[in-house]
Amino acid sequence: MIATKRSWSKAVALFLLVTTTISTVNCLYEDQIKKFDWKTTQIGGVSQAYLELNGFQPRLLVSTRENVIASLCPKTGEIIWRQIFESGPRGNIKLLQLSSAASGGDNTAAARPGTTSGFDLLTVQGHAPALVRGWNANTGNLEWEWSLMPIQTEKAASSMWFYRNAMLYHVLPVWKSHLEVTPYFASSGQATGNTAKITAPWITEEKCLLAGTYLACVEGNQLISLDLTANQPQVLTKALGETSGKPIKAVEGLNGVVIVDGKLVPVRDDIKTCESLRGDSFTIGRFNNQNVIVTASIKDKNLVIDGYTLDTCQQVSELSHSLVYPEHYGPVQIKTFDCKVNRNSDGKGCLFIADTTDDSILAIQQSKFRWTRSEALANVIATEFIDLPLADSEGELENEMKGKAGEDPSLETDIVSAFAHRIGSQVMHFKSLLLHVIGLGAKPSATQKAGIVRDAFGLHKMLVVLTKSGKVFGIDNISGKQHWQLYLKNVEEFGNGEQMRLLTQRTSKHFPLQALCVVIAKDKLSGNGVLYRFNPITGQPAEGGLLQLNYKIKQLSLLPETDTDFVKGILIVDANDKVQVYPENAKVKADGLYIYTADKSKGSLNGFHVKYENNQLTTIPLWNVDVSGHNGDHEIIAVASKNPIERVHSQGRVMPDRSVLYKYINPNLVAVFTQASDSIHKYLLNVYLIDVVSGSVVFSMMHRKVRPPLHVVHSENWLAYAHYNDKVRRTEITTIELYEGKTQANSTVWSSLSAPPMPLVERQTYIIPTLVTSMRETITERGITSKDVLIGTSSGSIVELPWALLDPRRPISSSSNGRDEGALPYVPELPLPTENMINYNQTIPRLRYIYTAPSGLESTCLVVSAGLDVFVTRISPSKTYDLLKEDFDYILISIVLVVLTTGSLVAKHLASRKSLKQAWK
């Protein structure tokens, strides 16, 4: 019995020990989760949508232009589940079909052979192969799938699919020739017959689309269509009259009807529709057991929604809504609507779902926005961290002190005056505090009420985000709150894959002047440049707002010096190599600058010198570098320059013999990468380090059997780039470091025109056991903190690797005296520890963008990363050495200071008494 009690007590003790250990592990770093970071979850702009409000579980099922299918809560817009497909054409969603949206009897007829259950949600994605999948619409789980691999993959890229009467039809158009239509059982993939070939020499990709079971094309002033489900397809023609030439659109849920110049046009006369209706978009649904057409359009800055019965075209007053449409939304496209079945049938239970050109999702009910989703954040292309303005009291104080400094310029040089300046500032602080305490101070401004004020350490900033659709956001980097939005219409990226640019012309540090940012893009209609200047704190236009240029932009950059109003001008090179500067009064600041342009297709770089004479700017060609190879088949795939705000704190590295190896710090050095095919080595990747002032090639190197994806980081005196080694089929990171040697040519001023001798080059390659999708280096205000490299992986994690692991000077041997002090022994594989993943379990699907910026603390770097989602955090590569910890005991240190001060005074008194007594002896 005693042995049994002992064994029982041991088991209880072991259980308590295991429970305590597990709890400790689960709580590790739990207090830091979402304390310094936040994340948004996106799905992208909607392409197809199905809304059900009367079922067992209300749901909104959508497919998006980002190759995502998702289920949203109709009440709040929150994501219930989402499935992310492959990016690019492989994951392109060709069809989204809900079983309840199909015709009667389709569920059973679409079942697999031998079963009686059909599909709940069906999708078709890709073309080589095309994947047909069945999903559980409530949970998002995959239930079944089958695939179709075409014989000619290049022709299958434009294939189309539609669902009709339990059959899934695959339409393969061969443009300007014929159509190939093949029916399949939807859930099994079994073909029901031979492929039908329909001769149609008039079909073109730009003028044709699928309208239900019809292929409709516009040829001149005629609408030509074919019924793809008919046994003997006949060509149907219909006169349209005069058309504007805009692409035609289909109406989801309405078979055989297209939208031409804002009106409904049926392909056949026996198809019921309301041809007299006009609107920007149409959709069909049911209200009071009737088929209803709903239109949506923008009129006088209002969103107007109207409903009409399909049979009689009578207006349904219960479905009429009008609400103010904000300017930060683009043109609207209504996707779907549904109404709750109730006794009154007054239309108050109707919910309308719309998509906009700026990739927003709008839910409208009872002439109000019930919820909105800003899905433009799924395509972030540029970000900037902007310092917040001062608080009102601090701003007034700084304004007064600036006035005094202007009256007495000796304040900055005379010690006595500087002391008086300090005392005066303290008095003004006390005065401002007293006025606010008794309620006589100035009322807080709108920015101060919103909490948009600068903090002591510069960690609280405004995150300005530019997206691919032309929408700009102002987001609080601490909370993730969206303070403002603006939308630029009819803008797009530049040629050669160059994205739109977001630049900061003036920061918030020049009180009372407001910060100034500019978006530079290309106009969709004319192809010329567009400048939009705005206040990044409020989102309001500034300096005239939108500016349409009358030329195309070839190159642009910020001027290094500011004008009298602290605005950095924008230097723009047009297609004719002429130079323009905005604003105009900053032209003189461009005198003496060196600029360069790179032609990716031709593989050439050109350097120019900017000269200012007679109030005119001219460019003088200086040099040309051809990197296209002897056959001219090398194309430039990447150009990487250094961060213009980067500061180098240490000029050299300490060697084991106490000598210094000085860094080759050339601010004008640019890394150029070219790619070409080779009959022997398959792929060739060339690396060039070029001084873009003198045009000299400092270093070059070739990689054989290496191909993109390529991601580059260029900082200080080193270069790191990730590439794919096709020979051994793995991702590698190559690092290059440049040194001047044991002596410096000039330790004060760098000159590319009288450059020092060629640098010493150290290089090394490491293996990374993952696919790299983005890279970025950390940056701090003074450059004192150690550099880390942030590596985005295909799994959605961001790994923070210290530069010591990527250092090409890591010694091969493991002797105590390495090539450098503290250098780690060389190991080809780079470790990816989980504790180095700065986004822990907050994975970012399709991670492709990382941006870093300094904060007010030298130890801390701000990070924003974007893919399908957006993740914002801050990191400390060398720990927070300049910040006290949160558990710092202020009471204990205060007591210790008081005790030490008191003890020192008592000891001083006793020592003086002792010395006095000894003097009297």
Side-chain angles (χ1 to χ4, degrees):
M1 184 68 179
I2 296 175
T4 304
K5 289 183 178 179
R6 288 179 178 175
S7 61
W8 175 252
S9 62
K10 289 181 179 179
V12 172
L14 181 61
F15 174 76
L16 292 176
L17 178 62
V18 171
T19 305
T20 305
T21 306
I22 292 175
S23 301
T24 303
V25 172
N26 286 340
C27 293
L28 189 62
Y29 302 118
E30 187 174 0
D31 59 333
Q32 302 294 329
I33 293 177
K34 292 187 178 180
K35 187 174 184 179
F36 304 116
D37 60 81
W38 52 267
K39 177 188 174 185
T40 65
T41 305
Q42 312 294 146
I43 59 175
V46 173
S47 57
Q48 286 183 274
Y50 291 98
L51 177 63
E52 289 185 346
L53 299 179
N54 300 305
F56 173 74
Q57 180 180 356
R59 58 190 180 180
L60 171 61
L61 300 172
V62 298
S63 66
T64 70
R65 293 183 286 273
E66 298 301 318
N67 300 347
V68 176
I69 62 171
S71 175
L72 304 180
C73 176
K75 294 182 179 180
T76 62
E78 295 179 354
I79 299 176
I80 300 175
W81 59 261
R82 67 174 179 177
Q83 292 289 345
I84 304 171
F85 299 156
E86 296 86 344
S87 58
R90 184 178 177 86
N92 186 22
I93 300 175
K94 301 282 188 177
L95 177 67
L96 176 73
Q97 181 66 48
L98 190 65
S99 61
S100 58
S103 58
D106 284 353
N107 295 353
T108 305
R112 300 181 185 180
T115 63
T116 58
S117 60
F119 65 88
D120 190 13
L121 179 67
L122 180 142
T123 62
V124 181
Q125 69 172 90
H127 63 276
L131 297 178
V132 182
R133 291 171 171 171
W135 306 86
N136 186 323
N138 294 323
T139 63
N141 295 330
L142 179 65
E143 295 183 340
W144 52 264
E145 73 173 357
W146 55 271
S147 62
L148 175 67
M149 189 67 188
I151 299 176
Q152 297 179 346
T153 57
E154 63 277 1
K155 294 182 179 180
S158 55
S159 60
M160 297 173 281
W161 296 77
F162 68 90
Y163 178 81
R164 189 70 173 178
N165 295 332
M167 305 302 297
L168 195 61
Y169 290 83
H170 177 217
V171 182
L172 179 61
V174 180
W175 303 117
K176 298 182 180 181
S177 178
H178 63 279
L179 294 167
E180 298 178 6
V181 183
T182 308
Y184 298 91
F185 284 110
S187 58
S188 65
Q190 182 180 357
T192 61
N194 297 327
T195 300
K197 292 187 177 182
I198 306 172
T199 302
W202 62 85
I203 59 175
T204 58
E205 189 172 4
E206 298 80 13
K207 299 180 180 181
C208 297
L209 55 75
L210 201 62
T213 62
Y214 293 85
L215 182 74
C217 303
V218 173
E219 184 66 27
N221 295 330
Q222 284 188 334
L223 178 66
I224 306 176
S225 58
L226 286 168
D227 187 357
L228 302 179
T229 58
N231 294 328
Q232 298 293 331
Q234 296 181 352
V235 178
L236 305 175
T237 60
K238 190 170 186 178
L240 295 176
E242 295 184 1
T243 59
S244 63
K246 296 181 180 180
I248 60 175
K249 300 178 182 179
V251 181
E252 189 69 31
L254 200 56
N255 186 28
V257 178
V258 297
I259 305 173
V260 181
D261 293 340
K263 62 180 181 179
L264 299 175
V265 178
V267 298
R268 297 173 56 172
D269 295 333
D270 57 349
I271 297 177
K272 292 184 178 180
T273 186
C274 301
E275 299 187 37
S276 60
L277 295 183
R278 297 292 184 272
D280 298 333
S281 62
F282 300 85
T283 189
I284 189 169
R286 293 188 65 81
F287 178 72
N288 289 342
N289 298 321
Q290 289 183 321
N291 289 330
V292 176
I293 295 178
V294 171
T295 69
S297 57
I298 308 298
K299 298 178 181 179
D300 298 330
K301 297 183 179 181
N302 288 336
L303 174 60
V304 179
I305 299 176
D306 292 311
Y308 302 87
T309 59
L310 185 60
D311 295 333
T312 62
C313 296
Q314 296 293 325
Q315 185 174 1
V316 182
S317 59
E318 294 85 352
L319 298 181
S320 296
H321 299 275
S322 179
L323 65 158
V324 177
Y325 195 68
E327 294 181 355
H328 58 258
Y329 293 130
V332 68
Q333 292 287 330
I334 191 163
K335 291 295 182 180
T336 183
F337 84 96
D338 196 15
C339 301
K340 285 186 177 180
V341 177
N342 51 33
R343 296 178 181 178
N344 298 330
S345 299
D346 53 3
K348 293 183 179 180
C350 295
L351 183 66
F352 302 85
I353 304 299
D355 172 62
T356 63
T357 55
D358 63 294
D359 291 341
S360 294
I361 305 175
L362 311 178
I364 300 104
Q365 189 174 22
Q366 297 183 18
S367 298
K368 296 180 181 179
F369 288 114
R370 180 158 188 173
W371 53 262
T372 61
R373 290 186 61 89
S374 299
E375 294 302 330
L377 291 173
N379 277 302
V380 175
I381 59 176
T383 55
E384 287 285 342
F385 283 99
I386 307 297
D387 291 322
L388 294 177
L390 295 171
D392 295 343
S393 57
E394 295 178 354
E396 293 175 4
L397 173 64
E398 185 165 335
N399 197 19
E400 292 182 21
M401 298 311 297
K402 277 187 175 181
K404 289 190 174 184
E407 296 172 3
D408 187 3
S410 65
L411 287 175
E412 299 179 358
T413 57
D414 186 12
I415 297 177
V416 177
S417 300
F419 180 73
H421 180 279
R422 177 67 177 176
I423 296 299
S425 66
Q426 295 297 332
V427 171
M428 288 184 181
H429 266 295
F430 179 76
K431 175 185 175 183
S432 177
L433 177 62
L434 182 62
L435 290 176
H436 278 80
V437 168
I438 63 178
L440 297 178
K443 294 183 179 180
S445 60
T447 57
Q448 189 166 356
K449 289 180 180 179
I452 311 176
V453 292
R454 195 180 307 173
D455 62 333
F457 298 125
L459 298 174
H460 191 191
K461 294 178 182 287
M462 178 68 75
L463 175 60
V464 182
V465 178
L466 173 63
T467 63
K468 189 176 181 180
S469 63
K471 195 163 188 178
V472 190
F473 296 85
I475 306 176
D476 193 314
N477 77 314
I478 298 295
S479 62
K481 178 182 177 181
Q482 296 180 9
H483 289 287
W484 54 265
Q485 305 174 24
L486 63 90
Y487 176 56
L488 306 180
K489 300 179 181 179
N490 298 323
V491 297
E492 62 181 359
E493 63 182 13
F494 299 101
N496 296 328
E498 293 292 331
Q499 301 289 352
M500 293 181 285
R501 297 288 300 275
L502 173 64
L503 302 175
T504 303
Q505 290 189 271
R506 183 173 57 208
T507 64
S508 301
K509 297 181 179 180
H510 308 288
F511 185 87
L513 298 176
Q514 300 294 329
L516 180 63
C517 283
V518 59
V519 173
I520 308 175
K522 186 178 76 170
D523 189 271
K524 287 184 179 180
L525 304 177
S526 63
N528 295 331
V530 175
L531 273 68
Y532 185 80
R533 291 157 292 183
F534 61 96
N535 185 340
I537 305 301
T538 62
Q540 298 299 319
E543 303 290 336
L546 186 66
L547 176 63
Q548 294 280 355
L549 305 180
N550 56 1
Y551 53 83
K552 297 181 179 179
I553 297 177
K554 183 177 181 180
Q555 178 66 287
L556 61 94
S557 66
L558 275 178
L559 296 179
E561 298 181 1
T562 62
D563 206 347
T564 54
D565 55 354
F566 304 102
V567 172
K568 288 186 176 181
I570 304 173
L571 185 144
I572 300 176
V573 181
D574 62 11
N576 298 323
D577 293 336
K578 292 183 179 180
V579 179
Q580 302 287 343
V581 173
Y582 292 95
E584 293 285 340
N585 55 10
K587 280 185 177 181
V588 66
K589 301 295 182 181
D591 185 31
L593 288 184
Y594 293 86
I595 59 176
Y596 76 97
T597 60
D599 192 324
K600 290 187 176 182
S601 59
K602 296 181 180 179
S604 64
L605 291 92
N606 296 277
F608 304 91
H609 176 63
V610 181
K611 193 173 182 179
Y612 179 76
E613 284 183 346
N614 300 325
N615 200 26
Q616 295 292 331
L617 287 174
T618 57
T619 57
I620 303 174
L622 292 182
W623 53 266
N624 173 268
V625 176
D626 188 0
V627 293
S628 61
H630 62 280
N631 291 329
D633 57 347
H634 291 246
E635 293 186 359
I636 299 176
I637 59 174
V639 177
S641 59
K642 299 179 182 180
N643 196 327
I645 66 172
E646 181 182 57
R647 293 189 179 184
V648 181
H649 179 260
S650 176
Q651 291 185 342
R653 299 181 62 168
V654 179
M655 306 300 291
D657 59 356
R658 297 306 181 190
S659 62
V660 177
L661 186 62
Y662 291 99
K663 300 176 182 178
Y664 181 84
I665 304 174
N666 184 352
N668 306 314
L669 201 64
V670 169
V672 180
F673 295 82
T674 64
Q675 176 75 36
S677 301
D678 186 77
S679 58
I680 299 177
H681 304 291
K682 294 179 67 176
Y683 305 101
L684 295 178
L685 179 67
N686 293 315
V687 184
Y688 300 92
L689 296 180
I690 301 176
D691 189 317
V692 292
V693 170
S694 62
S696 61
V697 179
V698 176
F699 174 75
S700 63
M701 183 171 60
M702 176 185 290
H703 295 275
R704 295 176 175 85
K705 296 186 178 180
V706 166
R707 60 180 176 87
L710 180 74
H711 304 280
V712 190
V713 170
H714 193 189
S715 177
E716 292 192 5
N717 68 318
W718 53 267
L719 178 73
Y721 53 96
H723 52 81
Y724 185 77
N725 191 324
D726 197 65
K727 180 179 180 180
V728 290
R729 298 181 181 178
R730 67 190 181 199
T731 303
E732 298 175 346
I733 295 181
T734 299
T735 58
I736 299 174
E737 264 192 321
L738 307 176
Y739 293 94
E740 287 191 45
K742 297 297 182 67
T743 59
Q744 279 186 295
N746 192 331
S747 60
T748 57
V749 178
W750 175 271
S751 176
S752 293
L753 301 179
S754 57
M758 287 298 177
L760 306 175
V761 181
E762 299 285 349
R763 45 188 166 176
Q764 191 59 268
T765 298
Y766 297 92
I767 304 168
I768 184 167
T770 185
L771 182 63
V772 177
T773 58
S774 58
M775 290 178 65
R776 191 81 178 195
E777 83 280 10
T778 59
I779 185 171
T780 54
E781 194 166 305
R782 300 292 177 181
I784 301 174
T785 307
S786 301
K787 287 277 187 180
D788 285 358
V789 178
L790 302 179
I791 300 176
T793 66
S794 58
S795 61
S797 60
I798 306 172
V799 183
E800 182 182 2
L801 284 183
W803 175 248
L805 294 176
L806 296 169
D807 193 349
R809 293 183 59 82
R810 291 176 61 178
I812 301 297
S813 61
S814 59
S815 60
S816 58
N817 291 329
R819 303 178 67 182
D820 294 340
E821 286 191 349
L824 302 175
Y826 174 74
V827 178
E829 294 85 6
L830 289 173
L832 297 180
T834 54
E835 60 267 21
N836 281 25
M837 296 181 182
I838 64 175
N839 58 334
Y840 46 102
N841 65 343
Q842 304 291 322
T843 57
I844 307 171
R846 299 181 191 162
L847 175 61
R848 59 180 176 270
Y849 177 83
I850 300 177
Y851 176 77
T852 57
S855 67
L857 287 175
E858 173 58 31
S859 64
T860 306
C861 174
L862 304 178
V863 180
V864 55
S865 52
L868 188 61
D869 302 337
V870 177
F871 178 78
V872 178
T873 186
R874 62 182 191 232
I875 59 176
S876 302
S878 300
K879 308 300 181 184
T880 52
Y881 58 84
D882 54 357
L883 191 66
L884 294 176
K885 294 184 179 179
E886 294 180 352
D887 57 352
F888 184 80
D889 198 336
Y890 293 92
I891 298 177
L892 178 61
I893 196 66
S894 301
I895 294 174
V896 170
L897 287 175
V898 171
V899 171
L900 289 176
T901 304
T902 306
S904 62
L905 294 175
V906 172
K908 180 181 179 181
H909 178 68
L910 294 176
S912 62
R913 289 185 60 185
K914 182 179 180 182
S915 61
L916 182 62
K917 288 181 179 180
Q918 288 179 351
W920 280 100
K921 287 183 180 180

